[in-house]
Amino acid sequence: MDDRMVRVIGILIDSFIPLLKAGVMFTVPLTIISFILGLIVAFTVAIIRVTNFKPLNGIVKFYVWIVRGTPLLVQLFIIFYGLPSIGIILSALVSAIIGFTLSVGAYGSEIIRAAILSVPKGQWEAAHALGLSKSQTLLYIILPQAIKVAIPPIANSFISLVKDTSLAAAVTFSDLFQVAQQITARTYEPLWLYMEAAFIYLIFCSVLTMIQSKLEVRFMKSGYSHD
Amino acid sequence: MIRLENVYKSFGSLEVLKNINLTIEKGEVVCIIGPSGSGKSTLLRSLNHLERITSGKLYIDNELVDERANDRDIHKFSPKRVSEICSELGMVFQRFNLFPHMTVLENVMLAPRKVRNLTKKEAEEAALELVAKVGLTDKKDEYPSRLSGGQQQRVAIARALAMEPKIMLFDEPTSALDPELVIEVLDVMKALASEGMTMLVVTHEMGFAREVADRVVFMDKGEIVEIDSPENIFNNPSQNRTREFLSRIL
């Protein structure tokens, strides 16, 4: 084994724990917090959209249009580097949480909206005919069926989010990817370091995918199935 | 019990109900027959506001339940009032529309609990009785997807009855069923009729109409062509359009 290889292996071993630590301490919490907040936004937006609640409907449509039509990286730059010029100074963490929450909210709202619309119209009609109110119908009839439809695509967007959080490095957030960049700057081994970072993302996503498919199996087993 | 006065309904430029006037007495069973697209279902669905009429007046039990002109409300009905109107009318759909995520018993219990605020115990007792009445006690904990079409429709009837409606509306209740399953649903409906339930039934089952109906309404192209006893409609219709329709299907 030549000296270069020995050196690279040394760097990889030395950097593994810092990278993993950055992942567990920063990437994972950023992902989870943004996802939970994002889902709350998504859910609210979806309900406003399907009930055509005016005038909020127009506002949330505009929000979804903007967020889906502009790059996430550009949004993060506007929040972190742009807003200070009008006096709004946010930390890297807060900027990242806001950016990712808005993103999950917009894409998630479309998933939830589509899931709600996938419930047959006859379900609304039957509930109406029984005298249930609109909100009771949503709560007891439509949402329980829509959630089942929405879970696989929502889980996918969660896994995407894990990877997208690497963009937070661009606004100085010291996540897994940022740490990889720092070590690279010191060691000049970009190929190996970024491969190692990719490997750790892969581990995170694989674990999450496993959890996801377990969840899906459990959901499909519980109770009913469509005929 | 039900009165429709000068009812019109259009979807865009298509007129589906033209000057409908119809009165149904308490305890009466009225079957509406006619070719598809004749407005039968729309008439039924306008009673509980599933469709809004373009103009005219609707009464249930001598109380105004809808009054409109030019597609606008003359009388505004609050969501709460609409809910009350709906709970006086039990509706059975062609495609059952059971709630697939609830068991048979839960389907029947839901509206009494949430709309009439019965306790779980009260609702369950009533539901068990109704499920027994439609002969499905052994299926009470099954999900709808595990039932045959006929069984699902019987559950749907029990679910509608759970709100103790004054009137039952049936919108082609057997049209989505395999022929061998039609009879079990019709038997439940016959039993209801013999108990004196007021029923308005849109149907293609001429045998049922002939046997159970007090009066038969023949509709064509959005109009009531004739209303008469089943004997007269089926044996000696006064209108040519009725005769032509019956000769096509019988």
Side-chain angles (χ1 to χ4, degrees), chain A residues 121-123 125-132 136 140-141 144-145 223-227, chain B residues 45 48 50 82-83 86 89 93 97-102 110 114-115 143 145 159 163:
Chain A
K121 209 172 140 231
Q123 296 286 304
E125 293 187 348
H128 170 93
L130 286 166
L132 291 162
Q136 285 176 323
Y140 301 118
I141 311 295
Q145 298 182 60
Y224 72 104
S225 59
H226 283 280
D227 46 7
Chain B
R45 291 161 57 87
N48 58 11
L50 277 175
V82 173
S83 162
C86 287
L89 300 163
F93 298 87
N97 297 348
L98 291 179
F99 307 131
H101 57 301
M102 296 181 185
L110 180 77
K114 302 303 172 191
V115 182
Y143 287 91
S145 59
R159 181 177 68 176
M163 288 298 284

Side-chain angles (χ1 to χ4, degrees), chain B:
Chain B
M1 202 72 178
I2 304 179
R3 195 160 83 242
L4 295 90
E5 283 180 8
N6 309 322
V7 170
Y8 288 82
K9 167 73 185 175
S10 346
F11 292 110
S13 61
L14 182 72
E15 270 201 313
V16 290
L17 294 178
K18 294 177 205 161
N19 196 20
I20 301 290
N21 287 282
L22 178 65
T23 305
I24 291 158
E25 302 298 335
K26 189 169 159 55
E28 211 179 11
V29 176
V30 174
C31 287
I32 308 179
I33 62 169
S36 47
S38 57
K40 313 180 294 285
S41 290
T42 308
L43 188 157
L44 211 62
R45 291 161 57 87
S46 63
L47 288 167
N48 58 11
H49 292 212
L50 277 175
E51 306 282 359
R52 298 304 301 280
I53 57 176
T54 302
S55 68
K57 289 184 189 179
L58 305 174
Y59 295 87
I60 290 170
D61 225 4
N62 282 323
E63 283 199 47
L64 190 69
V65 296
D66 209 0
E67 179 177 8
R68 285 163 62 88
N70 298 321
D71 256 326
R72 288 217 178 82
D73 289 339
I74 301 293
H75 243 80
K76 271 271 177 207
F77 293 89
S78 67
K80 192 167 170 287
R81 178 70 188 123
V82 173
S83 162
E84 283 169 16
I85 293 165
C86 287
S87 36
E88 297 186 350
L89 300 163
M91 184 149 194
V92 176
F93 298 87
Q94 183 178 351
R95 302 219 157 263
F96 333 131
N97 297 348
L98 291 179
F99 307 131
H101 57 301
M102 296 181 185
T103 64
V104 165
L105 211 54
E106 287 165 349
N107 262 279
V108 179
M109 287 166 62
L110 180 77
R113 288 198 63 193
K114 302 303 172 191
V115 182
R116 297 182 53 212
N117 298 316
L118 297 193
T119 65
K120 193 175 175 206
K121 195 161 163 282
E122 291 169 330
E124 193 168 342
E125 273 171 24
L128 281 168
E129 215 167 285
L130 286 166
V131 170
K133 184 176 173 150
V134 297
L136 289 170
T137 303
D138 56 328
K139 303 284 184 194
K140 68 182 167 61
D141 297 319
E142 292 282 11
Y143 287 91
S145 59
R146 312 252 308 168
L147 304 181
S148 73
Q151 291 169 333
Q152 290 190 50
Q153 194 60 299
R154 281 146 66 195
V155 175
I157 294 172
R159 181 177 68 176
L161 289 172
M163 288 298 284
E164 299 179 358
K166 293 178 183 164
I167 300 158
M168 285 290 285
L169 308 174
F170 292 85
D171 189 4
E172 303 197 20
T174 56
S175 298
L177 297 177
D178 294 334
E180 76 271 20
L181 302 176
V182 167
I183 191 104
E184 64 186 59
V185 172
L186 292 183
D187 282 345
V188 170
M189 292 169 63
K190 280 178 201 167
L192 263 183
S194 67
E195 286 169 22
M197 175 63 81
T198 309
M199 291 165 57
L200 187 53
V201 185
V202 171
T203 187
H204 294 293
E205 290 294 326
M206 296 306 149
F208 177 83
R210 194 191 284 263
E211 186 184 341
V212 182
D214 296 302
R215 283 186 300 156
V216 175
V217 176
F218 173 65
M219 284 183 74
D220 188 23
K221 299 193 177 83
E223 292 170 317
I224 293 183
V225 177
E226 74 177 288
I227 307 177
D228 212 332
S229 66
E231 297 82 63
N232 287 344
I233 290 273
F234 290 112
N235 301 333
N236 190 19
S238 65
Q239 301 293 317
N240 265 336
R241 280 152 86 180
T242 315
R243 197 168 301 132
E244 278 163 25
F245 170 72
L246 290 172
S247 70
R248 254 184 290 132
I249 61 155
L250 289 178

Side-chain angles (χ1 to χ4, degrees), chain A residues 62-144:
Chain A
F62 181 74
Y63 149 67
V64 172
W65 177 63
I66 294 288
V67 172
R68 293 210 307 169
T70 57
L72 184 50
L73 186 59
V74 176
Q75 294 164 16
L76 288 172
F77 269 54
I78 292 173
I79 295 166
F80 184 71
Y81 295 113
L83 289 184
S85 66
I86 55 165
I88 303 171
I89 300 167
L90 302 166
S91 72
L93 173 65
V94 172
S95 302
I97 288 176
I98 292 175
F100 293 124
T101 297
L102 291 178
S103 170
V104 172
Y107 287 98
S109 75
E110 288 296 293
I111 293 173
I112 296 171
R113 191 171 79 99
I116 291 174
L117 294 178
S118 77
V119 177
K121 209 172 140 231
Q123 296 286 304
W124 287 96
E125 293 187 348
H128 170 93
L130 286 166
L132 291 162
S133 70
K134 272 240 166 81
S135 49
Q136 285 176 323
T137 305
L138 262 176
L139 189 61
Y140 301 118
I141 311 295
I142 305 300
L143 290 179

